[in-house]
Amino acid sequence: MKKIFLHSFVCAALLLLVQVSAFGQQAKYVFYFIGDGMGINQVRATEIFYGKNLSFTQFPFRTFVTTQSASSWVTDSAAGGTALSTGSKTYNGAIGVDADKNAVQNVAEAAKKNGYGVGIITSVGINHATPSAFYGHQKDRNMYDALLSDLDPAKVDYIAGGAILLEKKGHSNDEQEKALAEKGFTLSRDPKTLDAAACKSSLVVLQPDVEKSKLDYDIDRNENSVALKDLVKCGIDYMSANYLKKGFFMMIEGGAIDYACHGNDFGTMVRETRNMDDAMALALEFMEKYPKQTLIVVTADHETGGLLMSTNGYFLDLEPYKYQKCSKDGINDGLAKLREDNPDGVSWEQFKALYREKLGFWDQIKLSIEEEASLMMDYSSAFTKGRHGGPQDRTLYFSYSRCATNAIKMLDKKSHIGWAGGDHSGAPVPLFVKGPCEKYFYNCLDNTDIPKAIKQSMGLK
């Protein structure tokens, strides 16, 4: 009788131990980082440029995942974001619906239904494709008003980004912000001084400048700029104050990586990739406090630009980009300001001064006779009498003076960097995971597998 009792006791104890162990492996705090447009070449190029590893490339689990959508081998951000949030394929342009336009629950909604706090953070617009895929359900990604209407305190506790995107001309941010306030959101445009922990209602945080569609690029940042890490810090403060006991899920998008890649702006791209890694440092600090309960997942929705490292033999030299002091957008703005400040004409010396300051041309970067002649042709086309800015190059998000485009191309040529184009590619993207439940990610072969693994890690259905 004693042996039977002892055997039963041991079995019960072992069962309890297994249950406790299983519970201990459940992710209570999840940070889901999405580098928009961040292929493996973008990641590796950033490490080469800075001469050190990014924190997430050292995570214990590393693999690649495919990204095709239901309508194409090359996904857009809407279908890619939907796959990463819902685990379902859809057609390019769709947000939070399947290929038949039926709404599909996403991982953030599942987390909220189970009592977790939900945070969504991006460096671009809060109703842009990737962030809206974690709360919205619309047939077209360009339905910005409808997507913003999908944003509700019942779904999202904290959302932060660079802007509210406007669907129609004549609309204003005032109208959109009023609509959010009526829903019960508290809105702040000063994240650096915001006491997020003191806010008890659902919180929307945006940068101060209502005219901007995204956060400033890291390379263009000044003392008034808001960084992605500022928004992440606010989010962690808010979640720690309100959802530390229940747990939380946060999606953080490095959206400006994609913007830079669409513009084939390598020097800006590597700084944006590091910018996301800087924001990740805050998640890693949180993980140090709760190592057995914190899961960090890092991936991308697609690769952008078809980045090539080495375009002429076995050679790569990224040194020239170290002298780049502003983005391609910044050069474009500098050229426009030269024209505005000098209505009677811009001299060759004034043009050269801009390129010296912003790109290091002639001083740190020596130019050949042929290269200088090429720049003189650009100057002539943009600034000689009768010219109004010269030829323009249009990318997905912006229009650039040919002068700005050619200057960046000159850096690329000197560094042996190339781009297949200005759009997305169908290349697989990396996946990095650290924390409990890494085993759930071993079967991740496609982007749709990632949210399913996260749900398993959190114990969600």
Side-chain angles (χ1 to χ4, degrees), residues 50-112:
Y50 285 104
K52 61 180 181 180
N53 293 321
L54 295 166
S55 62
F56 56 87
T57 64
Q58 306 309 295
F59 284 6
F61 180 75
R62 291 162 283 183
T63 190
F64 297 94
V65 292
T66 52
T67 64
Q68 71 274 6
S69 71
S71 60
S72 174
W73 287 107
V74 182
T75 188
D76 79 328
S77 291
T82 297
L84 290 173
S85 64
T86 68
S88 297
K89 293 289 186 184
T90 191
Y91 57 90
N92 284 356
I95 296 287
V97 297
D98 62 20
D100 296 320
K101 301 181 181 179
N102 299 309
V104 185
Q105 184 188 65
N106 62 62
V107 63
E109 290 169 331
K112 190 63 183 170

Side-chain angles (χ1 to χ4, degrees), residues 362-428:
W362 291 283
D363 295 335
Q364 292 89 354
I365 299 176
K366 302 305 178 185
L367 303 180
S368 67
I369 294 174
E370 292 77 14
E371 287 169 336
E372 184 161 341
S374 176
L375 290 176
M376 288 188 76
M377 290 180 63
D378 289 338
Y379 160 75
S380 178
S381 69
F383 291 105
T384 54
K385 188 175 180 180
R387 303 284 184 177
H388 299 283
Q392 299 287 305
D393 294 314
R394 180 69 193 174
T395 69
L396 180 62
Y397 295 114
F398 301 107
S399 182
Y400 297 99
S401 164
R402 185 71 52 79
C403 290
T405 299
N406 288 345
I408 294 298
K409 283 183 176 180
M410 195 170 288
L411 287 179
D412 290 346
K413 186 175 181 180
K414 284 183 172 293
S415 302
H416 297 265
I417 284 292
W419 300 87
D423 296 317
H424 302 174
S425 76

Side-chain angles (χ1 to χ4, degrees), residues 190 192 208 216 220-227 230:
D190 193 3
K192 290 183 179 179
D216 288 339
D220 295 330
R221 192 177 302 148
N222 56 49
E223 64 276 6
N224 297 317
S225 299
V226 171
D230 296 325

